[in-house]
Amino acid sequence: MKLSFVILHYNALSDTIECIDSIKKCVGLDCGIVVVDNKSPNGTGADLDAKYKDDSQVTVILNPENEGFARGNNVGFKYAKENQNPDFIVMLNNDTLILQNDFAQRIQREYDASHFAVLGPIIKTPSKPYSSNPGSTRLPSEKWYKNYVRKITFKLYLNYIGLDAAYEWILRKILGKKDKHFDESLLEKRAENVLLHGSFLIFSRDYISKFDGLNPRTFLYHEERLLFLRLLQNNMKSVFTPEIEIFHKEDAATKTVAKRGLLKRRFQYRHYINSAKVMLDVMQNGEEKKQSLF
């Protein structure tokens, strides 16, 4: 069994190094590690390249441009697929840590039992809901996405005149703050055909042989839903297993994309809208009939 790990790096150097160390500790030498620097503006891609230049286990790829989450990861996915011939490709955020020394064996046992296309573990987080998996067994409807695009577009317009934060505050006062409830008993139950969180995804040969990573049409957001939709449209299986646990520090790279406040929210609104439109298009037309980029 051969595993390849694909880590998308952006600015957060210590997190990426700690992630690599956890892979080496828990999996050992029988794996390849591909780090894709997504044109980090702080120059830490070059730091990684220098640190691992003599490490035969780690390959550092320096993207000439910031390709976003899906396309950035796809660079590493394709490299691993074409150069390392893996049985499984693990696509993980640079702020995640592997916790189990028999991590690889647990993947193999699940694949032998289910022949999954994509596998997701328990993702422990430092704050509520304390786990990002498992997700829903269904996707929102086309009607929901159309309404979502309208709502976020309205917030984007308000952002340009500096009123989006006030609008959100008024909504919270009127509607009240709703804490998301997570049923912790779900963590004890293995589940099939569920939405899996994009911070840690394990792809089997069933998936690798057919695809070169994630849907490349988004820059950020909704990647997990597009992946789940792809699996549903191709009659492929996703599995959540409580037998594998990892730790996710949460959003180390995303926090560096834009400054806090007005510009950060504007960045988010734009990509929420673009990704939702891609989702709508794939729901309506399928990936084989995809339209031009939004």
Side-chain angles (χ1 to χ4, degrees):
M1 177 180 58
K2 178 70 182 291
L3 274 73
S4 291
F5 292 83
V6 174
I7 305 169
L8 188 64
H9 171 78
Y10 191 82
N11 285 347
L13 181 63
S14 60
D15 285 316
T16 298
I17 293 172
E18 192 175 358
C19 179
I20 292 171
D21 288 345
S22 80
I23 295 170
K24 290 186 172 186
K25 177 183 176 182
C26 294
V27 182
L29 296 175
D30 192 25
C31 69
I33 302 171
V34 183
V35 181
V36 180
D37 171 59
N38 222 5
K39 190 64 174 177
S40 296
N42 65 357
T44 48
D47 296 334
L48 287 169
D49 195 35
K51 178 177 177 63
Y52 294 105
K53 66 179 181 179
D54 297 321
D55 189 328
S56 60
Q57 191 177 7
V58 180
T59 300
V60 177
I61 299 173
L62 304 178
N63 276 352
E65 301 293 339
N66 183 348
E67 298 285 352
F69 184 83
R71 292 191 295 274
N73 271 302
N74 287 357
V75 170
F77 191 102
K78 192 172 182 181
Y79 179 92
K81 177 178 176 176
E82 294 177 350
N83 294 277
Q84 298 178 348
N85 193 32
D87 297 297
F88 303 96
I89 293 179
V90 184
M91 186 184 292
L92 65 164
N93 280 18
N94 69 327
D95 59 348
T96 60
L97 300 172
I98 296 175
L99 303 175
Q100 297 158 313
N101 291 329
D102 60 346
F103 173 81
Q105 291 79 8
R106 290 171 184 258
I107 293 174
Q108 186 65 59
R109 285 199 296 270
E110 177 57 49
Y111 181 76
D112 290 342
S114 66
H115 287 271
F116 65 83
V118 187
L119 180 65
I122 291 177
I123 302 176
K124 295 183 175 181
T125 57
S127 57
K128 288 183 179 182
Y130 304 123
S131 180
S132 308
N133 275 336
S136 174
T137 57
R138 296 188 301 172
L139 288 167
S141 65
E142 291 182 24
K143 181 179 178 181
W144 184 92
Y145 267 105
K146 290 175 182 177
N147 288 333
Y148 176 84
V149 169
R150 284 193 287 267
K151 286 190 288 188
I152 303 300
T153 300
F154 179 64
K155 289 183 183 180
L156 178 59
Y157 289 148
L158 290 178
N159 176 271
Y160 278 102
I161 56 175
L163 294 177
D164 60 312
Y167 172 74
E168 285 287 350
W169 183 84
I170 292 170
L171 283 182
R172 285 195 298 269
K173 285 294 183 180
I174 294 174
L175 301 177
K177 185 177 179 181
K178 295 180 180 179
D179 291 327
K180 291 183 179 179
H181 173 71
F182 183 81
D183 183 357
E184 292 189 12
S185 68
L186 293 175
L187 297 179
E188 303 171 1
K189 303 174 184 176
R190 179 186 171 280
E192 294 189 357
N193 298 318
V194 292
L195 183 68
L196 298 172
H197 196 271
S199 62
F200 202 100
L201 297 165
I202 304 164
F203 300 89
S204 75
R205 275 195 177 275
D206 299 48
Y207 185 95
I208 298 167
S209 63
K210 190 166 184 178
F211 301 105
D212 288 331
L214 304 172
N215 187 308
R217 299 176 62 195
T218 63
F219 185 86
L220 197 61
Y221 307 125
H222 294 274
E223 297 88 1
E224 303 105 322
R225 290 179 176 180
L226 281 163
L227 174 61
F228 190 32
L229 181 57
R230 172 182 279 179
L231 297 179
L232 293 174
Q233 291 179 341
N234 287 274
N235 296 312
M236 303 178 82
K237 184 184 294 185
S238 63
V239 173
F240 161 74
T241 176
E243 297 300 314
I244 301 175
E245 298 182 359
I246 66 103
F247 182 73
H248 184 202
K249 301 173 194 176
E250 294 186 322
D251 300 329
T254 305
K255 290 173 183 175
T256 69
V257 171
K259 295 180 180 179
R260 287 186 176 274
L262 202 71
L263 291 180
K264 180 179 179 180
R265 294 195 302 275
R266 187 175 304 170
F267 171 90
Q268 291 173 325
Y269 296 149
R270 286 172 174 169
H271 289 292
Y272 284 145
I273 293 165
N274 288 344
S275 296
K277 287 181 176 179
V278 172
M279 189 77 188
L280 264 172
D281 185 43
V282 177
M283 292 174 79
Q284 294 168 347
N285 300 300
E287 287 193 75
E288 297 303 317
K289 299 178 181 179
K290 63 185 181 183
Q291 307 299 308
S292 59
L293 290 175
F294 290 98

